[in-house]
Amino acid sequence: MNSAIRIAIALLAVVVLAALPWFGSDVIVQFGISTLLLAVLAQGWNIIGGYTGYPSFGNSTFFGLGAYGVAVAMVQWNMPFWVGMVFGAAMAVCFAILLGLPVLRLKGHYFAIATLALAQVVAAIVSNIPLFGQNIGLVLPPLNNDAMFYELSLALLLMATLTVWWLTRSRFGFGLIAIRENEEGAAVMGVNTTLYKVMAFALSGLFSSLAGGIQAYWITFLDPASAFDISLNVKMIIMAVFGGPGTVLGPIVGAVVLSAVSEVLSSEVTNAAGLFFGIVVVAAVVLMPRGLADIVHHFRKSGWRYFVQNIRAHRI
């Protein structure tokens, strides 16, 4: 399939998705907003986790900072929504840069553990600041316009996806991949690994914060527990890994598939939904540890042996 056909298919998909609010039900539109925002988070994590190879558990912190940026601007300062988006994004990027300089010196599970505590620390700080509403939280002015939130979420996902696509063709992206494969070798080849990692962390935090800002205005209520929920970080990682980390469309596919599975299980199986959802995720990790994107490249050649080879290669 040549590039022209791929671009045409992508544009057609964007047009269909953009038109969804005009022919879809309210339930479908609300599901679409939630799924698109999760896809943005998965795509943002993909920059630092999939391309740079640093498994961050701190992206929910950036999500919370973006959400509080919008809430503080609109509730406490009576400023418009877009000012809050800029304020939240600025807080997240500055925090990512200041934090990234020391934390990104760690590697592997040490880095994961260090970022895991970030959300709880920031939540504790926010809960003691009157400007942020402390533990009570903030109530944003309601806006009954799901179509607008849907289009904003879709536009943000397009922006994040185009950024990841640019990474696959830019010197900066090649540097991140080199760091993921062999950081010491990348440094020897002249890659400023510290600068590249911090920039990737900040870029990942930027998209997470923008998604948090849209979510806050859509839900209209914010408190530290919901803004800095660590389970949200787990979701974005699972979706990115399920779809295929280090790929352009993998995180989006993972977010859509797992969101749909979760929604069906929640409505049909109710109490056992969490159990079945967990089984689906575990099975996916065992049978296709490189995600759905890897199946497209290898399943045609090896068939069902692809899954057998994965079980043997990644057995516990």
Side-chain angles (χ1 to χ4, degrees):
M1 186 183 298
N2 59 46
S3 58
I5 296 177
R6 291 180 179 178
I7 293 174
I9 293 174
L11 290 175
L12 179 61
V14 171
V15 171
V16 172
L17 288 173
L20 180 63
W22 312 114
F23 63 82
S25 64
D26 292 340
V27 174
I28 293 296
V29 173
Q30 290 173 3
F31 172 77
I33 296 171
S34 177
T35 302
L36 289 172
L37 291 177
L38 285 172
V40 171
L41 292 174
Q43 198 70 285
W45 184 90
N46 191 32
I47 296 173
I48 186 68
Y51 280 90
T52 315
Y54 275 72
S56 171
F57 280 85
N59 280 36
S60 57
T61 305
F62 306 132
F63 176 88
L65 290 174
Y68 266 104
V70 169
V72 169
M74 297 186 70
V75 177
Q76 307 287 41
W77 299 338
N78 295 317
M79 302 293 286
F81 169 65
W82 68 267
V83 173
M85 290 284 279
V86 173
F87 176 54
M91 284 198 300
V93 170
C94 291
F95 187 77
I97 293 173
L98 294 176
L99 180 74
L101 289 172
V103 172
L104 285 167
R105 296 180 182 274
L106 303 173
K107 297 180 182 179
H109 56 278
Y110 295 106
F111 173 79
I113 292 172
T115 54
L116 183 62
L118 287 179
Q120 299 302 318
V121 171
V122 177
I125 295 173
V126 167
S127 63
N128 288 283
I129 299 177
L131 179 66
F132 291 89
Q134 297 181 311
N135 281 322
I136 301 174
L138 296 171
V139 179
L140 284 77
L143 178 63
N144 187 20
N145 191 349
D146 285 345
M148 186 199 76
F149 290 115
Y150 178 90
E151 301 297 353
L152 281 175
S153 302
L154 179 60
L156 182 58
L157 178 58
L158 288 175
M159 188 189 309
T161 303
L162 288 174
T163 300
V164 172
W165 176 81
W166 168 73
L167 290 179
T168 64
R169 288 161 172 77
S170 66
R171 180 183 178 87
F172 175 61
F174 293 149
L176 297 183
I177 295 173
I179 291 172
R180 181 189 68 194
E181 299 300 325
N182 188 331
E183 187 168 342
E184 289 76 15
V188 172
M189 294 298 294
V191 176
N192 188 336
T193 56
T194 300
L195 176 62
Y196 275 48
K197 289 187 295 184
V198 171
M199 289 177 63
F201 202 39
L203 192 58
S204 178
L206 172 64
F207 289 117
S208 298
S209 68
L210 293 175
I214 295 174
Q215 173 83 3
Y217 195 18
W218 180 43
I219 299 298
T220 71
F221 175 74
L222 193 66
D223 65 347
S226 61
F228 301 100
D229 186 5
I230 190 64
S231 66
L232 186 62
N233 212 121
V234 175
K235 283 184 180 179
M236 68 179 82
I237 293 174
I238 290 175
M239 289 175 173
V241 173
F242 182 87
T247 62
V248 177
L249 297 178
I252 300 176
V253 174
V256 172
V257 171
L258 291 182
S259 293
V261 170
S262 178
E263 186 69 20
V264 170
L265 291 176
S266 297
S267 59
E268 299 293 336
V269 189
T270 61
N271 292 334
L275 173 63
F276 283 104
F277 185 73
I279 292 174
V280 170
V281 172
V282 171
V285 170
V286 173
L287 295 175
M288 47 181 196
R290 296 180 185 86
L292 291 172
D294 191 60
I295 294 180
V296 177
H297 296 288
H298 296 92
F299 186 75
R300 290 183 179 179
K301 296 180 180 179
S302 56
W304 294 103
R305 288 178 299 170
Y306 170 84
F307 299 112
V308 176
Q309 292 168 357
N310 282 332
I311 294 174
R312 290 175 177 176
H314 301 90
R315 64 181 181 272
I316 299 177

